[in-house]
Amino acid sequence: MIFGYMRISTKKESQTTDRQLFTLMKYADENKFTFDKILQERVSGNVKAENREEYKKLKYMLRKDDILIVTDLDRLGRNADDVIMELKELKVLGVRVIALDMPYMNEWIKVNNDSIYDMIIDIIITIKAHMAQQEREKIISRINQGLDVARENGKKLGRPKVKLPKDFYKEYRKFKNGEYGSMTASNFAKMMGIGRSTLYKYIKILDNKQ
């Protein structure tokens, strides 16, 4: 069976799948085949493929030797790593992917040749993995550059110091001295309007000051 998948972002309400549908149908007409099913969904590009409802339905329907066609390879995932994961899973399932924006991956004859397709998909996965690594290195480089600039400007880095609420020390001293009777730490935290973990964090701060 031959499936098509279209995705548009929820961030652009005016966006439609018309362009994608036209491109898919034109490709089908040029290569003389008919889609068995085309699925579409509106979902944020930040959502992983495995969390997209229509895409999950599509993967449930896919079987060995089926073909999945998308206008853009990145429709399969939210980033390069996600796309790589999907390509690998689909390859294991025996599903062939045609991405109309990718050279060699968009040629009907090559995709229908087992040995050629396997070689092409392995190359695409390798290229995508390299691109993902490059992007990660760029992000790390930008972060480091930003931190260097901040240090040069005299900015203190790291989490801001936790400030104790007003009167906490006085109330905690009463609690420790037994002025609140047999009150538990949990009840003392509730009285102060904080959680137990926050209470212990405040106590640790006080201990470090003493």
Side-chain angles (χ1 to χ4, degrees):
M1 294 181 70
I2 303 174
F3 294 86
Y5 174 70
M6 305 183 296
R7 176 180 64 79
I8 51 178
S9 173
T10 53
K11 293 181 179 179
K12 299 178 181 178
E13 294 300 329
S14 60
Q15 188 178 14
T16 69
T17 56
D18 292 350
R19 181 191 66 81
Q20 294 179 58
L21 181 59
F22 174 80
T23 304
L24 291 176
M25 297 308 294
K26 183 171 181 291
Y27 183 78
D29 184 60
E30 290 173 348
N31 292 282
K32 299 178 174 56
F33 70 83
T34 301
F35 281 100
D36 293 288
K37 195 171 188 63
I38 297 177
L39 287 84
Q40 66 174 348
E41 65 183 328
R42 180 183 291 276
V43 62
S44 170
N46 294 323
V47 177
K48 292 182 69 173
E50 64 183 21
N51 296 325
R52 297 173 182 171
E53 291 303 319
E54 292 302 315
Y55 186 71
K56 284 194 292 185
K57 291 179 185 176
L58 171 63
K59 286 183 73 174
Y60 182 77
M61 290 186 281
L62 289 169
R63 297 291 183 271
K64 187 178 184 301
D65 295 327
D66 284 346
I67 295 175
L68 171 60
I69 305 177
V70 292
T71 57
D72 310 276
L73 185 59
D74 289 341
R75 301 287 174 190
L76 292 183
R78 64 174 182 174
N79 54 34
D81 289 324
D82 205 18
V83 171
I84 291 168
M85 183 65 68
E86 291 308 309
L87 287 176
K88 287 181 177 179
E89 287 187 12
L90 292 169
K91 183 182 177 183
V92 170
L93 289 172
V95 176
R96 302 179 188 186
V97 179
I98 294 178
L100 303 185
D101 66 324
M102 298 293 294
Y104 299 105
M105 203 175 174
N106 58 11
E107 298 182 29
W108 182 254
I109 294 176
K110 286 186 172 67
V111 170
N112 281 279
N113 182 302
D114 290 341
S115 58
I116 293 178
Y117 177 76
D118 287 343
M119 180 179 66
I120 290 172
I121 203 67
D122 287 341
I123 291 172
I124 295 296
I125 290 173
T126 300
I127 292 172
K128 271 289 181 183
H130 179 65
M131 291 171 63
Q133 182 60 32
Q134 281 189 320
E135 187 58 33
R136 281 191 288 270
E137 289 174 358
K138 284 182 182 178
I139 291 171
I140 292 171
S141 177
R142 292 192 194 106
I143 291 173
N144 288 334
Q145 288 172 6
L147 293 175
D148 289 340
V149 171
R151 290 190 188 97
E152 288 178 5
N153 292 332
K155 291 184 179 179
K156 292 183 178 180
L157 304 177
R159 293 182 179 179
K161 291 183 178 180
V162 177
K163 292 184 178 179
L164 296 178
K166 187 179 180 181
D167 296 333
F168 178 81
Y169 176 70
K170 183 176 68 176
E171 295 299 328
Y172 178 64
R173 188 171 56 186
K174 290 181 181 178
F175 169 69
K176 288 289 286 183
N177 292 337
E179 294 182 37
Y180 289 122
S182 58
M183 178 182 285
T184 64
S186 295
N187 287 333
F188 176 71
K190 288 179 182 178
M191 184 185 81
M192 298 299 297
I194 58 177
R196 284 190 62 181
S197 60
T198 303
L199 171 63
Y200 294 132
K201 186 188 297 182
Y202 290 167
I203 292 171
K204 187 176 180 180
I205 292 172
L206 285 177
D207 291 341
N208 289 337
K209 285 183 177 181
Q210 294 175 356

